[in-house]
């Protein structure tokens, strides 16, 4: 087993796999990815709703969300050699009350200031864009360049292509701690005591990144929250757009094979058993709440049968945007975590920029607002 590398990546989710791919593509010869579970993409990366959106984001995230949609997603299937099912047909974020519209208007106004093409549409325009929606919807924000993709094929596409380029993956490799050697983070130590050593370390282990970073004195303030998804039986083709709501009670789309894939915050997340991270299951209370939310906005799906449901953990950063960048207090360590439930759509851009950071290059967009040390007191 090779235990030394130019770059060690902790976490085999889409962020880790994408970083590995762009590093290998840019010529880095020796890259190791360590994944704690038995399979790649076991975390949120293969469990998510597939939304590839810019609208509704904090403005600090918009530059790289927009970069990915303009430059990376359109050619990703060809680049990775798998069909990532990228569909760029727009995103309607729906409102049923004046308070909803006010919230959507504020989000749209802020996004426009940084150059995103997003506009408010009224009830009639909503029906023109998507006639399957409830007449109770009084307006929405509309971002025509948003879309969706298949999380499984995208994550595993990055994995497969990076393997072909020589990246080494180790599963069942749970990282316990990091260790500095002569003041620089170099060692990555597994729970069984195995020591890996790298010139640079990328920490992309979702919520678990917090405990790992702490072993070298870095705190990344975030919490963990469960989020769930369900899929319906196949339906006749209705629409290709992505849906969300101002109330954030569901989001989803119709997949290429006809099933609808919905995700939701059912409102019961805080009372779901969160003590044991292995308890990743939905229950009758949460799932029925999610279904009611969908039926309220897409009434024609009221008889569609739910064929499967699942859930995953979100790594919710304290201020709702991720930590991406080098750690000033831990030289050699670059972190990428805290994606707060929307890190799939941005993963290609994040992976590319992680590779640029390793090479000491200027990233394609400025990420200083997402610096891992942003909560540190000013000295
Ligand atoms: C139900 C759900 C729906 C979502 N919907 C969307 C959406 O529509 N659009 C969107 O953009 N985003 C969405 N997200 C968020 C998105 O899935 C994540 O932000 C994204 O997958 C983050 O990727 P990641 O690689 O950072 O994390 P992960 O996929 O969680 O990968 C981290 C990996 O690190 C591994 N790991 C953890 N601890 C250790 C350790 N100690 N040692 C080694 N490895 C470790 C984990 O096993 C995991 O494989 C959703 C998430 C969920 C759960």
């Amino acid at each position: 087993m090779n235990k030394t590398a130019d770059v060690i990546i902790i976490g085999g989710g889409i962020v880790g796999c994408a970083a590995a791919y762009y590093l290998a593509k840019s010529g880095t010869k020796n890259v190791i990815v360590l994944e704690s579970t038995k399979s790649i993409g076991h975390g949120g990366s293969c469990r998510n709703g597939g939304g590839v959106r810019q609208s509704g984001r904090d403005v600090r995230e918009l530059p790289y969300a927009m970069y990915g949609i303009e430059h990376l997603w359109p050619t990703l299937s060809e680049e990775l050699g798998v069909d990532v099912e990228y569909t760029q047909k727009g995103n309607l974020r729906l409102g049923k009350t004046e308070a909803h519209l006010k919230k959507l208007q504020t989000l749209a106004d802020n996004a426009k200031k940084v150059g995103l093409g997003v506009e408010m549409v009224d009830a009639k325009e909503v029906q023109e864009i998507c006639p399957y929606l409830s007449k109770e919807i009084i307006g929405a924000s509309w971002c025509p360049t948003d879309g969706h993709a298949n999380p499984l094929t995208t994550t595993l596409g990055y994995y497969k292509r990076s393997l072909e380029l020589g990246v080494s993956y180790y599963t069942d490799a749970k990282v316990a701690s990091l260790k500095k050697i002569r003041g620089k983070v170099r060692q990555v130590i597994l729970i069984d005591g195995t020591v890996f050593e790298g010139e640079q370390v990328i920490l992309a282990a979702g919520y678990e990144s917090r405990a790992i970073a702490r072993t070298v004195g870095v705190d990344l303030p975030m919490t963990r929250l469960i989020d769930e998804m369900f899929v319906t039986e196949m339906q006749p083709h209705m629409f290709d757009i992505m849906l969300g709501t101002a109330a954030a009670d569901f989001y989803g789309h119709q997949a290429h094979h006809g099933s609808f894939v919905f995700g939701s915050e059912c409102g019961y997340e805080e009372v779901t058993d969160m003590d044991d991270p292995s308890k990743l299951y939905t229950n009758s209370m949460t799932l029925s709440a999610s279904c009611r939310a969908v039926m309220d906005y897409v009434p024609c799906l009221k008889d569609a049968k739910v064929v499967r449901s699942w859930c995953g953990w979100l790594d919710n950063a304290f201020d709702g945007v991720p930590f991406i960048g080098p750690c000033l207090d831990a030289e050699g360590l670059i972190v990428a975590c805290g994606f707060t439930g929307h890190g799939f759509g941005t993963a290609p851009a994040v992976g590319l920029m992680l590779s640029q950071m390793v090479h000491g290059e200027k990233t394609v967009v400025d990420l200083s607002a997402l610096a891992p040390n942003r909560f540190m007191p000013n000295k």
Side-chain angles (χ1 to χ4, degrees):
M1 185 198 276
N2 176 22
K3 287 187 278 188
T4 56
D6 293 328
V7 185
I8 296 180
I9 298 173
I10 305 169
I14 189 166
V15 172
C17 295
Y21 166 71
Y22 291 109
L23 278 165
K25 186 185 170 193
S26 65
T28 307
K29 287 275 174 281
N30 194 350
V31 179
I32 289 177
V33 180
L34 301 172
E35 163 58 40
S36 61
T37 67
K38 291 190 184 312
S39 54
I40 297 301
H42 182 78
S45 295
C46 286
R47 297 168 183 271
N48 68 65
V52 180
R53 66 175 170 80
Q54 307 146 104
S55 57
R57 284 185 188 269
D58 186 294
V59 286
R60 288 171 288 177
E61 281 200 273
L62 274 174
Y64 67 94
M66 290 161 66
Y67 181 90
I69 282 171
E70 194 175 339
H71 299 284
L72 301 173
W73 277 105
T75 51
L76 202 54
S77 290
E78 289 82 351
E79 177 152 13
L80 299 181
V82 297
D83 183 4
V84 301
E85 296 178 25
Y86 179 53
T87 308
Q88 192 182 28
K89 291 288 168 77
N91 183 321
L92 272 180
R93 187 166 291 252
L94 309 165
K96 284 189 170 184
T97 66
E98 289 303 328
H100 289 166
L101 294 192
K102 201 171 160 203
K103 182 177 172 186
L104 294 172
Q105 183 76 61
T106 305
L107 281 166
D109 289 346
N110 290 340
K112 274 189 208 172
K113 283 182 200 150
V114 287
L116 180 67
V118 56
E119 57 187 281
M120 294 298 291
V121 290
D122 62 19
K124 184 166 164 285
E125 291 165 304
V126 168
Q127 293 297 325
E128 282 164 10
I129 295 167
C130 187
Y132 299 92
L133 299 176
S134 162
K135 301 275 189 299
E136 288 176 13
I137 295 160
I138 61 168
S141 65
W142 170 238
C143 180
T145 52
D146 279 350
H148 52 82
N150 183 323
L152 263 154
T153 59
T154 312
T155 303
L156 299 181
Y158 273 118
Y159 165 60
K160 179 179 115 351
R161 195 68 195 104
S162 61
L163 264 184
E164 288 164 2
L165 293 174
V167 172
S168 303
Y169 282 82
Y170 296 99
T171 51
D172 259 333
K174 183 167 179 155
V175 173
S177 59
L178 303 172
K179 193 172 172 191
K180 289 182 185 173
I181 305 289
R182 287 186 291 281
K184 187 169 180 284
V185 174
R186 276 194 70 91
Q187 290 192 342
V188 179
I189 303 157
L190 304 191
I191 46 167
D192 66 3
T194 309
V195 178
F196 286 80
E197 199 151 328
E199 293 296 324
Q200 300 204 57
V201 177
I202 295 177
L203 180 55
Y207 173 74
E208 313 302 324
S209 304
R210 185 171 192 180
I212 297 170
R214 227 176 233 160
T215 61
V216 283
V218 174
D219 192 24
L220 304 167
M222 57 178 154
T223 55
R224 197 180 56 190
L225 191 71
I226 214 155
D227 203 33
E228 65 185 11
M229 305 286 312
F230 61 92
V231 60
T232 71
E233 60 188 356
M234 282 187 264
Q235 303 292 314
H237 176 260
M238 293 186 212
F239 54 85
D240 297 314
I241 62 170
M242 184 83 191
L243 294 177
T245 70
D249 38 13
F250 86 93
Y251 51 91
H253 66 276
Q254 186 169 22
H256 284 193
H257 60 275
S259 294
F260 277 86
V261 184
F262 289 114
S264 96
E265 283 175 25
C266 67
Y268 295 124
E269 287 80 9
E270 297 291 353
V271 293
T272 324
D273 188 350
M274 305 215 317
D275 296 340
D276 178 357
S278 66
K279 282 185 187 162
L280 272 173
Y281 47 65
T282 53
N283 61 50
S284 55
M285 183 170 76
T286 54
L287 190 60
S288 53
S290 307
C291 289
R292 273 196 300 279
V294 172
M295 278 152 50
D296 279 351
Y297 287 87
V298 201
C300 62
L301 289 178
K302 70 178 176 9
D303 295 323
K305 289 192 175 51
V306 173
V307 293
R308 199 159 65 86
S309 70
W310 65 92
C311 58
W313 293 111
L314 308 183
D315 46 350
N316 281 356
F318 186 67
D319 60 349
V321 293
F323 305 98
I324 311 174
C327 290
L328 294 185
D329 292 347
E331 194 193 339
L333 178 64
I334 297 171
V335 304
C337 58
F339 287 95
T340 317
H342 41 260
F344 169 70
T346 52
V350 171
L352 174 67
M353 290 188 291
L354 290 171
S355 152
Q356 292 172 327
M357 286 174 204
V358 165
H359 295 307
E361 295 165 2
K362 192 166 178 264
T363 51
V364 287
V365 302
D366 175 32
L367 285 175
S368 49
L370 305 175
N373 64 329
R374 64 181 181 269
F375 291 111
M376 298 263 287
N378 289 329
K379 289 180 183 148

